[in-house]
Amino acid sequence: MSPPPPFAVEQWMDKYETTAKYNIAETCCASVSIEELASLCESKTNATSILDLSAVQHYGEIRGSTPLRANLSRLYSSKGGSPLAPDNVLITPGAIAANFIVFYALIKPGDHVVCHYPTYQQLYTVPATLGAEVDLWRSKAENKWLPDFDELKAMVKENTRLIVLNNPQNPTGQVLPKSLLLNIVEFAESKNITVLSDEVYRPLFHGISPVNVDFPPSTLSLGYKNTIVTGSMSKAYSLAGIRVGWIASRNSDIIEQCAVARDYTTISVSQLDQQVAAFALSPDVIHSLLGRNIQLAKANLELLERFIIKHDEYCSWTKPVAGTTAFVKFERDGKPIDAEAFCKALQDKTGVMLLPGNHGFGAEFKGYVRIGYVNRTDIVKEGLEELRKFMRKEYDDLPLSE
Ligand SMILES: Cc1ncc(COP(=O)(O)O)c(C=O)c1O
C-alpha cells in the first residue's frame, strides 16, 4: 500500500470551515443536538430513552449494537424487497471508515476498479493506493451528469474487481436512475464483478418522487447478491458528530471479509453513539427527522435556484434532485472563473464558504463550485445575500481559469 495523496476536499473543509460565517459548503443536513433529536420523537414516553445511563462502557457488541443493526435491517428490508438480516450489517465509525474497510477487504494489487465520477475522492484514491488500476466512469455536465452505460461496459476488463457508484452523487446532487442501476447490476453479475454503492445521501430525495419510474432504489434491493452499500448518520440524518456509518450486503461472505478488515481498524464503535443512532432510526423518530430535512432541502434549494436564475449570465447548473450539494459553474465572458481564487476571496471578504470544484473533484472542473445548501435556512439565506453583493462588487475583478 502506497502513502495516500492529500484528500483535497477534507483538507479544504478543515482549513476553512471553522472560520466561515456562512458555511454553504456543508454537506450535512443542518445538524441537530440531542435535545432537538428528542423533540422530533413522535412518542413522548420514548423521547427520554435515548441513552441508557446504566450501560457499562465496555467495547459493546463488536460488530455493532443489536438495536441499531435491527433498525438498519428493517430499513433495507422494506418496500417488498427480500429481508436483510441484522448480521448482514456492520457498524463503522462513519461512512468514510465503511468505504475504507470495503476497499481494504477486497482490493489487491493488480485489480481493476471502475469508479463513477466526479465523486468523493476517497472512492477512487483508496483503491489506487491499495495497488489497483482505477478508471473513472465520467458523468458529464452536458448529459445532466448522467453517465453512459456503454462507456462503462467498454471500460470493464478481465481483472475488474469492483464497480464503485455514488448514488445520490456528491457533488452534483443527481441520481443514477433505476433503469441504469438495473443495467449495471445485470452486467456486473454477468461478469462476476462486485458493486459498491456509497449511498450516504440516501434517502434525501427532494426533487424526484418515489412513484417516478426513475426513482433509484438502494442498490442492495436490485436482486444481485454481490452488492455492497455504505451509509451514514451524517448527511440525511443530521448526526455527523456521532460518527456512525455502516456496510451492508446480502452476501454474508463479503460481510465476513469486511469484518476481518474491520478488526484491524475499528474493534467496535462507541456504544453511546450507537444508542443515539438507533434512536434516530427508530420508527418513532426517523419519519419526522427525514421530513424535517426534506423540507429544509426543498426550501433552501428554492433560495439557491432564485440566486442562479438572477445570475444566469454567470452561473449554470443541473438542478439537484437529491442529497445536499449542487455543482454550479461560474463563468465570465464565456470563460470559467478561477474557482479557487473565487472561493478564497469570497470567504476572505464576506465569510461565505464554498468549495472550489477543481480543487475538490479534479482539475477538469474549471469554474465549478460545490454549494452545500441544506444547512440552516438563515445561514443559506444570509450567505446567498452576501454572495449576491460579492457578485456585484468583486466578481468582475476575479481571475479567469487558465
Ligand atoms: C460520498 C461520501 N461518502 C462518504 C462520506 C463520509 O461521510 P461520514 O461522515 O459518514 O464519514 C462523505 C462525506 O462528505 C461523502 O460525501
Side-chain angles (χ1 to χ4, degrees), residues 124-150:
Y124 48 93
T125 295
V126 172
T129 61
L130 290 164
E133 178 201 350
V134 179
D135 279 318
L136 301 174
W137 182 36
R138 286 184 159 72
S139 57
K140 297 176 192 129
E142 59 271 27
N143 296 334
K144 298 187 185 302
W145 303 109
L146 188 68
D148 181 337
F149 180 52
D150 288 333

Side-chain angles (χ1 to χ4, degrees), residues 224-384:
Y224 176 39
K225 207 172 173 198
N226 293 341
T227 52
I228 308 164
V229 300
T230 51
S232 165
M233 297 306 293
S234 299
K235 314 294 181 184
Y237 300 107
S238 297
L239 285 163
I242 62 169
R243 306 305 304 134
V244 171
W246 56 86
I247 300 167
S249 175
R250 293 191 187 281
N251 185 333
S252 302
D253 294 339
I254 289 180
I255 290 294
E256 288 313 307
Q257 268 175 285
C258 290
V260 169
R262 183 178 171 283
D263 281 341
Y264 285 98
T265 61
T266 304
I267 303 183
S268 65
V269 173
S270 152
Q271 285 195 48
L272 301 178
D273 292 348
Q274 293 186 81
Q275 284 178 26
V276 177
F279 177 82
L281 297 180
S282 66
D284 281 341
V285 183
I286 186 168
H287 306 293
S288 42
L289 180 56
L290 286 177
R292 165 199 187 263
N293 287 346
I294 287 172
Q295 277 319 312
L296 192 62
K298 281 186 175 166
N300 292 1
L301 188 55
E302 215 175 292
L303 297 175
L304 180 57
E305 185 173 28
R306 249 183 263 159
F307 174 91
I308 305 270
I309 291 170
K310 270 220 162 113
H311 296 85
D312 64 354
E313 187 186 345
Y314 306 117
C315 304
S316 57
W317 72 341
T318 301
K319 187 179 171 184
V321 295
T324 58
T325 57
F327 213 32
V328 181
K329 187 168 189 187
F330 282 78
E331 291 175 302
R332 205 179 59 229
D333 305 326
K335 298 192 190 79
I337 210 81
D338 178 334
E340 218 166 311
F342 175 29
C343 293
K344 281 183 181 156
L346 178 70
Q347 183 150 352
D348 192 37
K349 299 215 154 92
T350 68
V352 174
M353 181 182 175
L354 298 175
L355 183 108
N358 62 328
H359 177 86
F361 296 94
E364 68 202 72
F365 296 108
K366 289 187 171 54
Y368 279 92
V369 301
R370 185 184 73 182
I371 303 183
Y373 57 86
V374 199
N375 209 336
R376 284 188 353 235
T377 300
D378 59 323
I379 294 177
V380 174
K381 201 177 209 165
E382 286 166 42
L384 289 175

Side-chain angles (χ1 to χ4, degrees), residues 27 94-96 99 120 166 170 198 200-201 232 234-235 243:
T27 56
I96 194 163
N99 290 333
Y120 196 52
N166 176 210
N170 170 11
D198 174 326
V200 297
Y201 294 96
S232 165
S234 299
K235 314 294 181 184
R243 306 305 304 134

Side-chain angles (χ1 to χ4, degrees), residues 23-41:
N23 183 350
I24 47 174
E26 177 61 69
T27 56
C28 302
C29 290
S31 299
V32 289
S33 65
I34 302 299
E35 270 172 359
E36 191 176 355
L37 185 66
S39 75
L40 290 167
C41 182

Side-chain angles (χ1 to χ4, degrees), residues 87-202:
D87 280 350
N88 286 57
V89 181
L90 283 177
I91 305 302
T92 60
I96 194 163
N99 290 333
F100 187 87
I101 288 167
V102 171
F103 294 130
Y104 187 40
L106 299 186
I107 299 301
K108 59 181 187 326
D111 284 343
H112 177 239
V113 172
V114 178
C115 184
H116 180 197
Y117 182 82
T119 191
Y120 196 52
Q121 186 189 335
Q122 181 195 29
L123 296 174
Y124 48 93
T125 295
V126 172
T129 61
L130 290 164
E133 178 201 350
V134 179
D135 279 318
L136 301 174
W137 182 36
R138 286 184 159 72
S139 57
K140 297 176 192 129
E142 59 271 27
N143 296 334
K144 298 187 185 302
W145 303 109
L146 188 68
D148 181 337
F149 180 52
D150 288 333
E151 283 179 21
L152 172 70
K153 286 202 287 190
M155 276 177 179
V156 160
K157 308 180 187 187
E158 282 291 297
N159 59 339
T160 305
R161 175 76 183 95
L162 205 58
I163 295 173
V164 182
L165 310 175
N166 176 210
N167 199 26
Q169 184 186 29
N170 170 11
T172 67
Q174 303 306 311
V175 295
L176 299 171
K178 182 176 182 181
S179 51
L180 178 56
L181 289 174
L182 285 168
N183 283 340
I184 295 168
V185 296
E186 190 189 334
F187 174 66
E189 188 165 18
S190 72
K191 302 271 175 194
N192 198 23
I193 299 168
T194 301
V195 177
L196 164 65
S197 184
D198 174 326
E199 298 184 348
V200 297
Y201 294 96
R202 272 189 82 83

Side-chain angles (χ1 to χ4, degrees), residues 35-87:
E35 270 172 359
E36 191 176 355
L37 185 66
S39 75
L40 290 167
C41 182
E42 288 165 25
S43 142
K44 292 306 154 207
T45 41
N46 292 346
T48 52
S49 61
I50 301 183
L51 292 181
D52 174 3
L53 298 181
S54 68
V56 174
Q57 294 303 310
H58 45 52
Y59 278 120
E61 294 174 88
I62 296 302
R63 291 187 179 198
S65 81
T66 297
L68 177 56
R69 292 165 93 200
N71 279 345
L72 286 164
S73 115
R74 184 174 41 77
L75 292 179
Y76 285 110
S77 300
S78 57
K79 306 242 168 66
S82 47
L84 182 81
D87 280 350

